[in-house]
Structures are given as structure tokens and as C-alpha cells.
Amino acid sequence: MGSREKILAAVKTNQPPLSPLPSNWQGSKHTTNLKEQFIQTVTNIGGLVIEVNSVEEIIPAVKDKFPETTRIVNLLESPKPTGASLGDPHEFENVTIAIMQGQLGVAENGAVWLTDKQMGDRVLPYICENLVLVMKSTEIVPTLHEAYERIGSSDYGLGTFLAGPSKTADIEQSLVLGAHGPKSLMVYLLP
Amino acid sequence: MNDTLKNHATLAEKFNRDIPRVDWHDKTLWFVREKRDKAANQIPDWEKLRETASQIKNNVLSNLHDYLVEFENNAQQNGITVHWASTPKEHNEIVHRIIQQHGVEHIVKSKSMLTEECGLNEYLEHQGIEVVDTDLGERIVQLAGEPPSHIVLPCIHWKKEEIGELFHQHLGTPKGNADPQFLTSAARAHLREHFLHSKVAITGVNFAVAETGEFVVCTNEGNADLGVQLADVHIACMGIEKIIPQRKHLGIFLRLLARSATGQPITTYSSHFQKPRAGQEMHIVLVDNGRSERLGSEDFRNALKCIRCGACFNTCPVYRRSGGHSYHTAVAGPIGSILAPALDMEKNADLPFASTLCGSCTNVCPVKIDIHDQLYKWRQVLVKNGHVTRGKKFSMMSMRFLLSHSSLYNFSGTLGRWVMRNLPSLVNNKFNPWYKQREMPQAPAQSFRSWYLKNKQHGK
């Protein structure tokens, strides 16, 4: 008998009588302003939220913020990043700024949901030095429960909740931004 | 019990020789515990979340067979290769075989307590494969040749000056620089090279969803993601108990996990891996290692609900003052003390006694594991199976005799109080383990019983 069969047989014999799943989650009512809460939470976790009126404002604003940027990958217009022709993620090692769309934001924890469809290459949101996410303020939900309701049974290769810049506090609990991934994260909020 | 085995009390005594360090360790972890409280208090539904998470996990344990099969089917349909391992050895061999097939001698690994449990690093190093741990804290202890001392904060026992010295030796940073920001950026540059040159990346798994065949990995540093997205092969290793039924249940667990662990609202990255990218291989190794057997134990199966947040470590007065290494197991702290005896009762017989049974671990556990009850129950199992020292056995038998003979009990109380007042050196000496690092209390003039009888006679 292989290990699979052995493990499954033992599990079947030993598992206790069926204990039912709890009923669907019903949380307390949310009365706070979602946009305000989202902006506050992202700021608390080391990110920055900037409200803009149109997509056109974003690129000049980003260039203004990072005048010494050498390589920007902008995925807002085309989901295929330039330089991805080889299909080798190592190509993106020197990206200073990556700009991509976020699908939805969570007010309670400041996380933004995006999938590989928005990432261009899966490595981009992790390897770039600074990450810029763009989303509509109407796409902010109160908690993860509403976020998963929206995500539903959608199909993706990789999906992620991304909350603030990469960080660590492994050295004496001192918070340092930019552990391995982006050193900064900005969310541009469209109306 | 074999006295040459590693023992929590002895190891804790060693840790306690440096009193300022113990105080610092204690305070640092209490700080994390306070952050957890603050985060939990901001959620009005916190207790309901814990109860719901607990019920979902109870359901998982009661239907684990079907969920495992469902997960395997869905993962396979997503293009993921699923492996099963009964033992740590089998797990290590599977991982090694995949690495060999790709002719690789150098891999990166993000945090996985399961691979610690299985001793994967040592195994692969014996086979000539270099494993680089990429979580900053794990890299620090790896360079120092130590295991992690905490499942979430692996080098919580290290001071920044010591890390500066370690990096000076291994990474060539300037001597005397102990600035966390500087040291982190040195580690970032050092590990970036490893990320860029590793064709195989190993990660752990926080949750695996039966309904969708996807698995979720949570990190703050982004090391798991960077590793797997630059590698041709992603191997994810998980215990069979990490399954949850449906995707929407992640909403419950992700709200609890980081808040319980560090007080953050969520980890920076909660990556849901459903399919390998084009040209990438994705493997999942499902490991049993005693879990299926434990599932049959009514008293101890609940420990399988653990989501490895570490909240019970941070709150535990014994852990905070004895350090993770005194537990001599991959998973230390209160949860480790109830997991380890099931893996090896003889080697870990000391651990359920490394507790005051105060119950704080149970109170903070996000999935409501009855940790302190299990610690108490393990003690009974260990005594019945002869896994305690003769000294402890003898003193327990003496106490039983004493406590069941009231006149003898009264007499020894009187004698004890007299000795403590008149011949204190008889108890205040190194042969009395209770005198170690403590002052003995002042003996009262009378017992509670005599006080009560006297006052009752006065009609009060």
C-alpha cells in the first residue's frame, strides 16, 4: 500500500463523527467611511494613498515622485510588459517602478487584491523596487468577507492580497520597510 | 525516564543565567502580545471570528479524508503535482528527488515549520544541496548554525549587536554596525543574489483550499514570492491538517492570523497559488507524520487545528522567560509542548511540565485549542507510561499519601511552619528546587484551618 492510501485509510478510520460547518458569516454592520478607513489603514502599514481624478494624472505624478527612475513598467494600458518577450522573469531585476491595476481594496486591513492577469509577469509586484497600484475608490469593501464574496469562484493562476511595502521586524522588532520586495507602495485612487 | 535526554528545566536554567537578557526577552515578547490585544480589540466580531474558525477546523478534522481527496483532485486539475509522505524521511526523499531531477545543487526556501519538523535542511545538506533560508530571521539563525527559537519570530532571542557581528563575519558588513535598517539592506542584497540564481524554491503552506485546489502562503518580506517567481520549480510542503473547505473561509482565517501573530491587520503578502505559471513546475507534498493517528485521540486531536500564529508563545510566562531553544523541538512554546509528545513521548516527556497551566495560551488561541487542558492531560499520560523521573513519581506518591491522611497533613503543616520559622536553613538551601531563584515565603503563625476553627467559634 502506497503512502497515499495508507494516510487516507488512517484518516478515514480516525476522524471523529461529522461536525457541521458553521453557517455563513454575518458580521457587525459597518458604519465607517470605507475610503477614509482604507487610506488610514494603508498609511498605518507603511503605504501611501493618493487620490486622483483621472488615469492621465498618474504617470506624471509618479515620475515627479521618483525623478531618478531608470526603468518603469507601466501595465495600465497594455497587460504585456515590455521586455517580457523572453518570458524570463529575471528580465525584470532592474525595474524601479511597476504600475499595475488593483481589483479591489479592503478597508479594514489596507490590502489590495490583484491576480496574475494584472501583474504582467508574476514576479513584477515582488521584484520591482517601488510598486504603484491603481484602483477605483468604489472598489473598496469593508472586510475580507466582502472581498471573497466579490472574488467568488473566479479563476486565476496566482491571486494575492498585497498590503503595504515588503517589511520585516526580525531584528529586535524594529520595523524596516523593503525586506525583499518593494521598498515603497503607493495606491492611486480613482473616483 | 532517561536523564541524559535534553530537558526543558536544565536548558531554561542555562538561559536564565543572564538575567538582563531574560528580562529583555520577556519584555520583547510581551510587547508583541500587547500588539495582538490592540489589534483584536479593534475587531468587534473578534470572539465570533475565533468561534467560527474553531468550528470550521472541527469540521475539517471530522471530514479530513474527503477534503484531502477533493483538494488533490482540484490541485491536479490545476496542473499541480501532488505527493504524499507518511514520514519525515519520505517527505525529504520526495523533495530531494525533485531537486535531483532538475540537476540543482542550490535552492532557496521560505519559512516552513513542517520542513523544520522533518529536518529537511540537514537531510539535503547531507546530499550535497545548499539550502538558503530566505526569511531574514531564519537566515540569521541559519548563519549562526541554530534552529529558530520562535515559529513567527525566528531570531527573537538575538540582539542587534550580535546580528551586526554575525553579518560582519558572514556578509562582510562593517564591524560594529548594528543598525536594523542597514543590516536588513545588507541581507536584502545578499539574498537577492540567491533568489536570482535558484532554480528550485521551497515554501510552506498556511492554508490549502479543498474547493479550489489552491494554497495560500503568507509572508511580510515577500521572500516566498520572490523565490518561487524566479524559480522553475516551486515545491510547497504542508501537513495534512492545513486543509480548509472553501475559499471564502480564508476571510475568517486571514482576519485572525496576522492579528494574533504580530498585531498586524494582515501580512503584506497573502499569495493564493492556484496554477503554475507557463513553463513552471508546481509540487505539493502532503505530510502525515503522526497526524492521522492523533486524529483518533479525543483528548489531543484539537492540537491539529493550529494555524501556527505563535500567539500562545508570546503570552506564555514560561516561554518568555525560558526561550525557544529550551523546548528542544521545531515548534516550541505551549502548542509545541502538546504536539511534541505525540511525535516522541520519551524525548519530549519534559515539555508538558514546562507550563504553569495558567491558561493564557488557550485564551489567545485564534482557533480555540484547549492548550492548557491538553498540557494537563499529557502529564497524566506521561506519568502512566512511566516517562517521568523517579524523583517526581516518588514526590507525587508521597503527596497523595499525605493529602489523603488529614491528621498527618495537619501535623506536617505545623512541622513545616515551625521549621521555616526556627530552622530556615533546612529549607533555604540548594537542595530545595523551590528555593532556586526565589525567596521562601514567611511562614504564618497558624494554618488557615486553625484560623477558621477559631473564628467560627467566635461566631463570626
Side-chain angles (χ1 to χ4, degrees), chain B residues 355-371:
Chain B
S355 164
T356 62
L357 301 183
C358 73
S360 184
C361 46
T362 304
N363 287 335
V364 296
C365 178
V367 290
K368 292 195 165 184
I369 302 171
D370 50 342
I371 304 176

Side-chain angles (χ1 to χ4, degrees), chain B residues 39-236:
Chain B
N41 290 340
Q42 280 169 4
I43 308 291
D45 294 325
W46 185 257
E47 287 307 315
K48 192 175 156 189
L49 274 174
R50 288 178 72 216
E51 180 56 33
T52 308
S54 170
Q55 286 178 20
I56 295 171
K57 283 283 182 178
N58 286 338
N59 168 265
V60 168
L61 297 185
S62 72
N63 195 32
L64 189 58
H65 174 274
D66 290 2
Y67 286 142
L68 281 166
V69 173
E70 187 187 354
F71 174 74
E72 181 191 37
N73 277 338
N74 288 325
Q76 284 170 343
Q77 275 178 25
N78 293 338
I80 304 173
T81 311
V82 180
H83 309 261
W84 300 74
S86 287
T87 61
K89 182 170 175 281
E90 199 180 352
H91 161 267
N92 295 345
E93 286 167 358
I94 291 168
V95 174
H96 182 223
R97 204 161 52 235
I98 301 168
I99 296 168
Q100 265 185 326
Q101 281 163 3
H102 292 269
V104 172
E105 285 174 348
H106 176 106
I107 64 159
V108 288
K109 181 166 84 75
S110 69
K111 208 187 285 160
S112 152
M113 290 324 297
L114 180 83
T115 61
E116 294 287 338
E117 177 186 319
C118 293
L120 179 68
N121 284 20
E122 298 78 43
Y123 177 86
L124 290 178
E125 269 147 32
H126 269 293
Q127 315 293 326
I129 289 159
E130 190 200 1
V131 183
V132 172
D133 282 324
T134 58
D135 172 84
L136 175 59
E138 282 212 323
R139 186 62 180 154
I140 289 166
V141 290
Q142 187 179 39
L143 288 173
E146 284 182 359
S149 69
H150 186 295
I151 56 174
V152 175
L153 318 160
C155 68
I156 193 71
H157 60 296
W158 275 71
K159 294 205 166 184
K160 59 185 178 194
E161 292 77 18
E162 295 158 347
I163 297 168
E165 182 56 30
L166 185 79
F167 278 19
H168 170 64
Q169 284 168 24
H170 291 269
L171 310 182
T173 55
K175 198 168 173 65
N177 195 327
D179 175 47
Q181 179 95 38
F182 174 80
L183 295 175
T184 302
S185 85
R188 177 184 169 104
H190 155 71
L191 287 165
R192 185 57 76 99
E193 284 308 304
H194 289 286
F195 287 127
L196 289 167
H197 297 110
S198 294
K199 290 198 166 106
V200 176
I202 298 177
T203 70
V205 170
N206 289 91
F207 306 99
V209 184
E211 176 190 49
T212 57
E214 72 196 310
F215 59 93
V216 177
V217 181
C218 302
T219 74
N220 279 320
E221 300 183 6
N223 56 317
D225 299 283
L226 209 45
V228 301
Q229 300 311 350
L230 288 167
D232 300 333
V233 184
H234 176 182
I235 308 171

Side-chain angles (χ1 to χ4, degrees), chain A residues 3 24 26 28 108 156 181, chain B residues 45 48 90 188 214 255:
Chain A
S3 288
N24 279 340
Q26 293 267 322
S28 306
E108 187 188 81
Y156 45 74
Chain B
D45 294 325
K48 192 175 156 189
E90 199 180 352
R188 177 184 169 104
E214 72 196 310
R255 282 183 89 190

